[in-house]
Amino acid sequence: MIDVLVVDDDFRVAEINAKYVGKVPGFRVAARAHTAAQALASVQRGTIDLVLLDHYLPDQTGLELVHRMREQGHGTDVIMITAAGDVTTVQTAMRLGALHYLVKPFTFAALRTRLDSYAALRRTVDRVGGRGIAGQEQVDRIFGALRTTPTPPSPGLPSGHSEPTTDLICRVLHHADHPLSAHEVAAETGLSRSTAQRYLRHLEQAGRLRLSLKYGDTGRPEHRYAWVAP
């Protein structure tokens, strides 16, 4: 098993990411951290194979954490999972040895593709490592193991709808323990209420959500949406 440390300052996002990791065969979440200090302590214990690392942490940035890890001699592998999409941050992550860089919001399929390529890398290194010396063919295999095939967009999305936003709303509803209104979904995702309502209506019509009505003392009933398990 590949032991993973999930690092994100948002407890809810860390929980979602951890559940995603748990769905990929061969991977398990060994620990979670919400600050750079907590993450470094987990790495120092020596039981972590891979860090899924957010850049925006309360005490240090994710890249500052990676720099400290390397200074202390920790070669733990890192995949950045962050909303930071500026070129400077991406380049710095590459120079510090991050194996992949996944921009939020992302789909489970996008994360799984990168975890699968990471597992392939480890298998390739293990096979080549037994020979002691790697020729060009073996080196090409090692570098090629990290290549990923872009995930095609889901068919059938209406004009003006994006897959990342659709996936973000689906994640919120999937992990909710009760039906949510458009207002609550908007608050959870940071979207406007009208945008949330538009996506919720499409998902309900597509059979991915179940619509129910909550009647109050006065006024129109409130529409509430619940995840429908496939």
Side-chain angles (χ1 to χ4, degrees):
M1 296 293 288
I2 296 173
D3 287 322
V4 180
L5 168 64
V6 175
V7 185
D8 199 293
D9 67 320
D10 188 317
F11 284 71
R12 182 178 59 86
V13 173
E15 175 69 18
I16 292 172
N17 292 348
K19 288 182 177 180
Y20 275 4
V21 172
K23 293 168 63 176
V24 181
F27 290 82
R28 65 185 173 194
V29 176
R32 301 174 200 173
H34 308 291
T35 67
Q38 292 173 353
L40 184 60
S42 293
V43 170
Q44 288 172 336
R45 285 193 284 270
T47 59
I48 303 299
D49 299 309
L50 174 66
V51 181
L52 300 186
L53 180 60
D54 186 18
H55 182 58
Y56 298 117
L57 300 173
D59 49 348
Q60 277 188 316
T61 67
L63 295 185
E64 288 172 340
L65 170 61
V66 178
H67 185 69
R68 287 185 64 192
M69 288 166 52
R70 301 305 183 234
E71 280 188 329
Q72 295 182 13
H74 301 294
T76 310
D77 294 321
V78 173
I79 293 178
M80 298 296 296
I81 298 184
T82 177
D86 60 285
V87 175
T88 300
T89 302
V90 175
Q91 287 181 323
T92 304
M94 293 174 61
R95 290 166 182 158
L96 289 172
L99 297 178
H100 281 299
Y101 197 107
L102 193 56
V103 179
K104 297 177 180 177
F106 57 90
T107 63
F108 167 65
L111 176 60
R112 176 162 188 168
T113 297
R114 284 149 182 82
L115 292 180
D116 285 342
S117 74
Y118 174 72
L121 170 66
R122 287 174 62 98
R123 291 192 299 268
T124 303
V125 170
D126 288 342
R127 287 196 299 269
V128 174
R131 300 170 183 163
I133 299 176
Q136 187 61 53
E137 180 182 353
Q138 287 74 35
V139 171
D140 289 343
R141 288 179 183 174
I142 293 173
F143 276 86
L146 281 175
R147 294 175 187 160
T148 59
T149 302
T151 303
S154 298
L157 283 180
S159 176
H161 287 63
S162 72
E163 184 175 1
T165 302
T166 300
D167 188 68
L168 176 63
I169 291 176
C170 287
R171 291 207 310 267
V172 169
L173 269 297
H174 187 203
H175 295 288
D177 56 6
H178 60 276
L180 301 179
S181 66
H183 177 76
E184 291 170 325
V185 171
E188 288 285 335
T189 59
L191 300 170
S192 68
R193 186 184 184 282
S194 61
T195 298
Q197 182 66 62
R198 181 159 49 90
Y199 277 82
L200 290 167
R201 187 179 301 113
H202 165 68
L203 290 168
E204 188 267 328
Q205 292 172 350
R208 299 174 68 180
L209 301 179
R210 182 178 65 255
L211 172 64
S212 59
L213 300 178
K214 180 181 179 181
Y215 291 89
D217 295 333
T218 60
R220 299 172 60 185
E222 182 181 53
H223 289 200
R224 303 184 70 83
Y225 298 86
W227 181 256
V228 176

